[in-house]
Amino acid sequence: FEKAEGIGLKVPKVEKVIGNTMTLEYIEHVPNYIEQNPSRALGLILEKLNNMGLVQSYNDYTTDDYAANIQKHIAESVGVFPSGLYSALLRVQPLIQEGRFYHGDFGVGNMLFTPDNELYLIDPIPNKFGSMDIDAAKFLASLLLFRDVTVEHRDYIFFKRMLKTFLGCTGSDLLEVLIACEIVRVYKYSNEKDKVERIFNSVFK
């Protein structure tokens, strides 16, 4: 939280820490902000990604570690996900941007949009499997998984197109591959495995 606040990101203040439990400042959140204000929400998300992208940071884990983690998840989910995803990840791996500050779990569940049009981020973990590209993929995967939109949904298409432009990867399928990888990472922990598999198949065809 201190690292995130130190680069200008808005995060709730940590009021106390007892063991592994943190008590955070209360932030009023508008649950349907993204659906009600997609353009403004995108602007806030791009602002945060840009702030993080300006700051150099040491990463404990590399894209090789990320690829190995995805390979492990595919192997553990026997017959659910195609081995071709791992091959696709290795193909786009050189395009993944590293060496910058990142959130590490940049999903909608960790975004608090306020009535005053501010975006607060919670649970930053900037030392594991992260990059701006993976953060963006995590956001899009979370829209599919937790907001239950489809890849044909107007807002999803809008967000993905603008994020690809922002990341400079419009000429590749980097973002699509990383979205599929982020869905694979969720599968092991999900209570709705059929849903996760269905959404994966809609992304990685």
Side-chain angles (χ1 to χ4, degrees):
F1 277 79
E2 289 175 352
K3 286 182 179 179
E5 188 174 28
I7 69 165
L9 298 180
K10 287 187 177 294
V11 295
K13 295 192 180 301
V14 178
E15 296 181 343
K16 62 181 177 181
V17 179
I18 301 176
N20 293 324
T21 302
M22 290 190 301
T23 300
L24 302 176
E25 166 195 13
Y26 173 75
I27 303 295
E28 185 178 358
H29 171 55
V30 180
N32 296 320
Y33 189 94
I34 291 175
E35 291 82 359
Q36 294 171 358
N37 305 283
S39 295
R40 190 181 292 273
L42 175 68
L44 291 169
I45 289 166
L46 292 180
E47 177 186 54
K48 304 310 177 189
L49 288 172
N50 186 64
N51 287 350
M52 292 188 284
L54 294 174
V55 179
Q56 291 186 335
S57 179
Y58 170 75
N59 300 346
D60 293 338
Y61 295 83
T62 67
T63 56
D64 286 336
D65 297 309
Y66 181 80
N69 182 259
I70 297 300
Q71 185 183 35
K72 179 182 176 183
H73 278 283
I74 293 172
E76 289 175 348
S77 306
V78 180
V80 177
F81 303 113
S83 59
L85 174 60
Y86 179 63
S87 301
L89 177 57
L90 293 182
R91 175 173 49 79
V92 300
Q93 184 180 345
L95 302 175
I96 300 175
Q97 304 174 66
E98 294 185 276
R100 298 292 173 176
F101 188 95
Y102 51 85
H103 183 276
D105 196 8
F106 201 64
V108 293
N110 288 327
M111 297 178 177
L112 301 177
F113 293 91
T114 74
D116 295 328
N117 300 309
E118 298 282 2
L119 171 55
Y120 284 75
L121 300 173
I122 62 174
D123 290 349
I125 47 172
N127 65 336
K128 186 175 182 180
F129 301 144
S131 79
M132 186 184 297
D133 301 314
I134 296 173
D135 274 350
K138 177 72 175 184
F139 165 69
L140 290 168
S142 71
L143 281 179
L144 296 171
L145 290 163
F146 305 115
R147 293 297 174 87
D148 206 17
V149 302
T150 67
V151 292
E152 292 85 15
H153 191 279
R154 180 185 60 188
D155 289 346
Y156 177 81
I157 293 171
F158 168 66
F159 285 129
K160 189 177 75 169
R161 183 177 71 247
M162 298 306 292
L163 283 166
K164 290 189 80 164
T165 300
F166 176 79
L167 297 171
C169 62
T170 53
S172 77
D173 58 355
L174 169 66
L175 198 54
E176 286 82 0
V177 171
L178 291 178
I179 293 167
C181 289
E182 289 304 301
I183 293 171
V184 167
R185 286 176 61 192
V186 168
Y187 181 80
K188 177 180 178 179
Y189 312 102
S190 176
N191 294 322
E192 299 180 284
K193 287 184 167 52
D194 289 345
K195 173 184 173 182
V196 176
E197 188 174 356
R198 170 176 56 80
I199 291 172
F200 173 88
N201 290 330
S202 74
V203 173
F204 194 72
K205 299 177 180 177

